[in-house]
Amino acid sequence: MTAEKHTRPVEVELKYRVAELAAAERLLAADHVGPFAVGNGRQRSLQLEDRYVDTADGALGRAGFAVRLRRSGDKTMVSVKSLARTDGPGGSVRREELEGPADRIAAAVDWPPSDARSLVLEHAGDAPLVELVTVRQLRRKRQLKSGQSRVEMSLDEVDVVSRGRIVDRFVELEAELQKGDETELEALGAALDAEPMLRRAKTSKLEAALAAVDGATGDEPEAGELSFGGAASVAAREGDRPAPRLVVGKTPGVSAEDHIAEAGRKVMRFHLARMLEYEPGVRAGIDNEAVHKMRVATRRQRAAWRVFGEAFRKGRTKRYRDGLRETARRLGAVRDLDVQLEAAEAYRADLPAAERRGLEPLLAAWRQYRDDARVLLLRELDSPAFRRWVDDYIDFVRTEGAAAVTAGPTEPHRIRDTAPSRVWAAYEVVRGFESVLRWADVPTLHELRIAGKWLRYSVEFVREALGADADPLIARVTALQDHLGLMNDADVTASMTRTFLLEHAADLSGPETAAIGRYLVDREKEVARLRRTIGPTWRGVSGVQFRRTLGRVVAGL
């Protein structure tokens, strides 16, 4: 090692491959890990895209360096790490590392000056840099402390991407010493070594990624055996079988004589079939409407669990509810950004060219957020865990009596016995907003939207048992929901636009700041307009005619 190399910063860390994501998540959320306690600040999440590059003839690799271009948000940094690594106390890994600002498109000679850039130019000269592999990761991290020592623990869910295709997935836990004594890191390593779901990583992320690209197994085959699984191993285990299908009618088919649990099962089966029907369109990524429809189907199922859930054993059905929540969360992250982008594009369509250009930084950031959210959504849909969950859930919705709570002979257990009180209870919650509606702020009106949603579903799920007179009631509640939904969308868009302006104030030109600011004002005005005009849709639900019709409809049971 030369004297020059001794002056370079050294990265000291522990690295583990994770065999069960939930086990690593528990460690990341724990108050104490070994001698370390949670430091200041909460757990943070960020999306990273690492593009590893070299010259066409591998000059940087031959010189003993890995060069990584990391994009996070709208910034790109270059990291140059030594391929040679030394083992420190307790199995920690030590590698030299230099960092500096970079550009994903420009040649290295055009990057801002830094020691990292100088090292790249020293070995690569003016030769263009070509991509070896891309590693995308969702990183969750938090600070830990022990005395004067500080460690950043991070949990990375990794996608290995080659030529636009995901070729492997794995999960890694890292603990990087940022300040203090390495003996403290050694004690942390001892605690992590005791965790059965963690195993010391023998290769770097780059080495594992290149092995996946080459189709090699090397010393890390377990990377394809983790909870997400590698692409090849997933195909082998699943046998490339088509996605399962459910055959259902045009409606759920709930009758007044149905047991509550079986009525709920019918509703869940109907909307699960819809969810699976839209899944191929979501994967294709051609039509945003597929994401919207699949999300609606998951929402209907989650609502059915709320309406009918008490008829099932909670312990026996928790995995179905948890799976729906995670799928809905991934779909929602994509869909919400689709809605924001569509609204912004509609606003921009009639603007002069200069004003349209001024909005581009905001829309470019949202498009990137949307792309990142889609990567996570596809990761969820591609995982063996998701397919196993679907298979189990299909069995549940097909099997009469599965996980149902046994009702006593005199307990109300049919739809005709329970739906009227359930519907009226939901309506009472909606009516409770009447006394504050005139002064209600946006968060309160969002709560009204949620209350209206449960009223709508309480009626909609048993619509066939209630009869055709229920349709106008559903339409009026839906109109209220839609009005409040548009207000919520505008409010969320205004909040995200405001945040963008604050976080990027130093990066935006004057015209860009002005154009984005005008869009923020437009969204704030839309929130005020929708808040001001809620009266007609509210009266459609709160009026005497609605109540009389609702009473007559439920009395028919």
Side-chain angles (χ1 to χ4, degrees):
M1 186 177 292
T2 66
E4 179 190 4
K5 288 185 178 180
H6 277 297
T7 65
R8 293 174 186 151
V10 175
E11 173 187 67
V12 182
E13 63 182 358
L14 302 168
K15 296 170 67 70
Y16 292 85
R17 287 294 168 84
V18 178
E20 182 182 281
L21 181 60
E25 288 176 330
R26 286 193 294 271
L27 284 170
L28 194 64
D31 293 333
H32 291 82
V33 184
F36 283 83
V38 175
N40 295 328
R42 295 179 297 178
Q43 186 179 135
R44 294 179 54 211
S45 299
L46 63 158
Q47 295 287 337
L48 302 173
E49 182 178 275
D50 296 339
R51 182 168 166 254
Y52 289 92
V53 296
D54 201 340
T55 61
D57 62 354
L60 292 164
R62 288 198 309 275
F65 296 102
V67 178
R68 179 190 73 196
L69 294 175
R70 167 167 287 178
R71 181 174 64 181
S72 180
D74 59 352
K75 294 183 178 179
T76 299
M77 299 288 291
V78 59
S79 294
V80 183
K81 295 188 179 186
S82 61
L83 293 174
R85 49 184 247 177
T86 58
D87 294 333
S92 62
V93 177
R94 301 168 59 90
R95 290 194 300 176
E96 297 171 347
E97 179 180 21
L98 294 173
E99 288 190 331
D103 188 290
R104 288 176 57 81
I105 300 174
V109 69
D110 296 323
W111 296 345
S114 70
D115 289 342
R117 169 181 175 268
S118 297
L119 190 58
V120 171
L121 293 177
E122 176 186 343
H123 296 287
D126 59 0
L129 300 178
V130 297
E131 181 176 317
L132 301 176
V133 67
T134 292
V135 173
R136 294 175 183 156
Q137 49 193 325
L138 169 64
R139 167 164 291 180
R140 287 173 280 174
K141 62 182 183 179
R142 72 186 314 174
Q143 297 292 319
L144 304 178
K145 63 180 180 180
S146 176
Q148 297 302 310
S149 298
R150 298 291 184 272
V151 164
E152 181 178 270
M153 181 178 285
S154 60
L155 178 60
D156 299 332
E157 299 175 41
V158 180
D159 283 349
V160 179
V161 182
S162 177
R163 298 181 180 179
R165 185 172 65 89
I166 296 174
V167 296
D168 197 12
R169 290 191 169 101
F170 57 89
V171 182
E172 192 162 283
L173 183 75
E174 297 181 358
E176 181 178 351
L177 183 65
Q178 297 186 319
K179 174 186 176 184
D181 191 344
E182 282 191 48
T183 58
E184 295 279 7
L185 192 65
E186 182 179 356
L188 176 61
L192 295 177
D193 287 341
E195 293 291 330
M197 294 295 110
L198 301 185
R199 182 177 58 82
R200 293 276 184 157
K202 298 179 182 179
T203 60
S204 67
K205 285 192 179 85
L206 173 60
E207 291 167 328
L210 291 176
V213 171
D214 293 339
T217 56
D219 218 10
E220 295 281 348
E222 290 84 349
E225 298 171 2
L226 304 180
S227 56
F228 291 121
S233 61
V234 171
R237 283 195 298 271
E238 300 298 323
D240 293 322
R241 60 180 173 78
R245 290 180 56 83
L246 276 172
V247 178
V248 295
K250 293 183 178 180
T251 62
V254 173
S255 73
E257 300 301 326
D258 278 339
H259 188 288
I260 304 169
E262 299 318 311
R265 203 185 310 276
K266 287 180 178 180
V267 174
M268 294 169 201
R269 182 167 63 241
F270 179 79
H271 292 292
L272 175 58
R274 296 257 176 127
M275 187 187 95
L276 297 175
E277 178 186 347
Y278 300 128
E279 184 184 342
V282 171
R283 290 178 179 280
I286 298 171
D287 184 2
N288 293 345
E289 200 58 24
V291 174
H292 172 55
K293 290 178 179 178
M294 188 173 178
R295 184 193 191 189
V296 168
T298 59
R299 279 181 163 179
R300 294 287 199 279
Q301 291 172 80
R302 296 188 70 196
W305 278 107
R306 173 163 174 166
V307 173
F308 302 106
E310 66 184 36
F312 297 97
R313 299 175 190 172
K314 291 193 183 315
R316 291 277 304 277
T317 57
K318 182 177 184 298
R319 64 184 183 277
Y320 307 132
R321 290 178 273 118
D322 289 349
L324 279 171
R325 182 177 65 248
E326 180 64 18
T327 304
R329 184 168 71 88
R330 297 298 191 195
L331 287 162
V334 177
R335 177 57 187 168
D336 288 346
L337 286 160
D338 280 341
V339 170
Q340 287 175 226
L341 285 165
E342 289 167 5
E345 292 289 2
Y347 167 84
R348 193 168 73 154
D350 297 328
L351 297 177
E355 190 82 354
R356 291 200 298 272
R357 286 194 298 271
L359 284 172
E360 184 55 33
L362 175 68
L363 299 190
W366 287 356
R367 291 187 200 106
Q368 183 60 56
Y369 297 157
R370 198 264 183 197
D371 290 345
D372 291 343
R374 177 170 165 77
V375 168
L376 293 178
L377 170 60
L378 294 181
R379 171 186 292 176
E380 173 71 16
L381 298 182
D382 285 341
S383 70
F386 176 78
R387 193 52 59 198
R388 287 193 299 270
W389 172 80
V390 169
D391 290 342
D392 289 347
Y393 195 19
I394 287 176
D395 287 342
F396 169 76
V397 299
R398 282 175 170 168
T399 307
E400 186 172 344
V405 174
T406 302
T410 60
E411 290 182 61
H413 59 274
R414 298 175 300 175
I415 288 299
R416 70 163 64 254
D417 304 327
T418 59
S421 60
R422 202 181 301 272
V423 169
W424 277 115
Y427 185 60
E428 287 170 3
V429 175
V430 172
R431 283 292 301 277
F433 286 83
E434 188 166 42
S435 60
V436 301
L437 192 67
R438 184 174 178 182
W439 303 278
D441 56 10
V442 171
T444 302
L445 291 173
H446 182 61
E447 292 177 14
L448 172 58
R449 179 192 178 200
I450 294 172
K453 178 166 60 176
W454 297 125
L455 171 59
R456 172 187 171 183
Y457 291 150
S458 296
V459 176
E460 191 176 271
F461 289 159
V462 296
R463 177 246 171 268
E464 291 160 282
L466 293 175
D469 287 345
D471 291 345
L473 300 175
I474 295 170
R476 290 190 177 191
V477 179
T478 301
L480 176 64
Q481 259 189 277
D482 289 348
H483 187 102
L484 294 171
L486 290 172
M487 186 187 68
N488 182 70
D489 291 343
D491 183 63
V492 170
T493 300
S495 176
M496 289 189 66
T497 305
R498 188 180 302 108
T499 298
F500 182 86
L501 284 169
L502 290 172
E503 291 181 348
H504 297 271
D507 306 323
L508 299 172
S509 68
E512 288 170 342
T513 299
I516 296 170
R518 282 188 284 273
Y519 184 54
L520 169 58
V521 171
D522 177 85
R523 292 297 84 196
E524 290 176 333
K525 287 182 177 179
E526 181 67 1
V527 172
R529 182 189 72 79
L530 290 164
R531 183 167 175 261
R532 188 176 61 250
T533 57
I534 193 174
T537 55
W538 167 254
R539 288 190 292 273
V541 172
S542 65
V544 173
Q545 182 181 353
F546 185 94
R547 295 199 300 275
R548 286 175 176 167
T549 305
L550 184 62
R552 185 175 68 253
V553 166
V554 299
L557 290 174

